[in-house]
Amino acid sequence: MSPDTPDPERVADGPGAAAARPPAGAGSFPHPERPTDSAPPGGSPGPGERPGRVPDDGATADRSPGAGQEPPGWPGGLPVPAGTPVTAPGADPLAGYPGVVGEVPGVPAATRRAGGRAAGVALGAALLLTVLGAPLGLLWALVAPGTPVRMTAEGAVYATPQPEQPIAADGWFSLLAFGFGVLAAITLWVALRRRRGPAGLVAGTLGGLGAAVVAWQVGRRIGLGTFHRLLDTAPPGTDFTKPADLRAGGIDWYGPLPVPHGNLLLAAFGAAVTYTLLAGWSRWPSLRPEPQWDGGWAPGGPGISSEPGDQPAR
């Protein structure tokens, strides 16, 4: 190489030196074998420095393509690095932006609509179960025996001392009410599969309680008018029956608040227990049906084939 040929590894000192030197970050990297200017005479690096490396002075820190562009991420260009623990300080990307979540359109309204829809479905199911208490009362009046009564000169008395018919009426009502609660819980679980959870439990409990009260009032009134007419007009020695009624349940009034007790609570108890057991034994954590694998081949990919005669993927 002649003395007049410029050295490509050196930049001539002079007025054009700054213009001839390529700017940092534009694809020119320092020679890996060239020692830095901060190295002491003799070529040995100083304490804490690596040989052949340019110190990170900020001007050459970012040499990746597209340097100077703001990386996409959270507001302000501050993305959370991958692998950052959730409990680490500053891990919440919206910690410095308290108004971001509140300004997202539709979030509060959607939440309110979902809650109102669930409450409406639960109330409608409870009202439907309460109405179904009327046929339950008819069934109770059909299967529960009436108590024999005889009219005497002093008034109506039981035809037999210590009759068992009132106990049988209580027993039939208890069985029917508990069975109604169990069936109601299963029906709600199957029919309202997209609303499984607290809404279904509340609907079954309130509906069972309302159905029991309606069944009691409907069943006890069947034949009650005829019974009262015979009490007023039947001559002594007439035998008739008293309609079925409850002796182990009823409603107590605490001021304006009615409080059911006794076997009027069995329908609600059966519904609550059955619904809770169904939720406890559900195979879905959310209690709602989730897509299941049908057992077929997985989608094709590298090394996977479902053609006839192919070897199974390893």
Side-chain angles (χ1 to χ4, degrees), residues 147-256:
T147 306
V149 177
R150 176 173 296 179
M151 178 62 68
T152 64
E154 292 81 10
V157 297
Y158 287 125
T160 57
Q162 299 180 351
E164 298 179 353
Q165 287 79 8
I167 302 176
D170 281 339
W172 275 110
F173 187 89
S174 300
L175 291 176
L176 293 175
F178 186 82
F180 178 85
V182 172
L183 293 178
I186 296 176
T187 303
L188 290 175
W189 182 266
V190 175
L192 302 180
R193 61 180 60 191
R194 298 298 179 184
R195 300 290 178 184
R196 290 174 180 174
L201 179 61
V202 171
T205 304
L206 294 181
L209 183 60
V213 174
V214 171
W216 171 46
Q217 291 298 322
V218 170
R220 67 184 293 269
R221 294 178 185 276
I222 296 178
L224 188 61
T226 303
F227 174 71
H228 286 297
R229 181 177 56 82
L230 291 175
L231 286 179
D232 297 334
T233 60
T238 306
D239 294 332
F240 51 95
T241 59
K242 179 183 177 181
D245 201 352
L246 291 182
R247 302 178 61 181
I251 296 179
D252 293 334
W253 291 86
Y254 293 90

